[in-house]
Amino acid sequence: MQQTNADYLHPHWHYLEENWIEAAHEAGIGVNSYTINTQEEFDFSCANHIDGLFSDFPDRWS
């Protein structure tokens, strides 16, 4: 990941894995996820310590 000089990665929430997110964070790379539209997706993403999210309904997650 560091070879790409990326500051953030933006995977779909379905592909999030705790060890992958930890590796990104250890490398100084943030993780934002998309498209979080249900409570289940939101809970899963938060449990995996993402930095931000994309949603069709951002007012649900304020």
Side-chain angles (χ1 to χ4, degrees), residues 13-41:
W13 73 271
H14 184 73
Y15 297 109
L16 293 175
E17 294 182 17
E18 186 176 354
N19 62 337
W20 187 81
I21 295 168
E22 288 176 10
H25 285 158
E26 287 174 9
I29 299 170
V31 179
N32 297 325
S33 186
Y34 70 93
T35 300
I36 310 299
N37 287 331
T38 68
Q39 187 67 48
E40 176 189 12
E41 295 163 354

Side-chain angles (χ1 to χ4, degrees), residues 38-59:
T38 68
Q39 187 67 48
E40 176 189 12
E41 295 163 354
F42 181 77
D43 293 343
F44 178 84
S45 298
C46 289
N48 284 285
H49 310 289
I50 64 168
D51 299 295
L53 60 86
F54 300 93
S55 177
D56 294 327
F57 308 102
D59 56 315

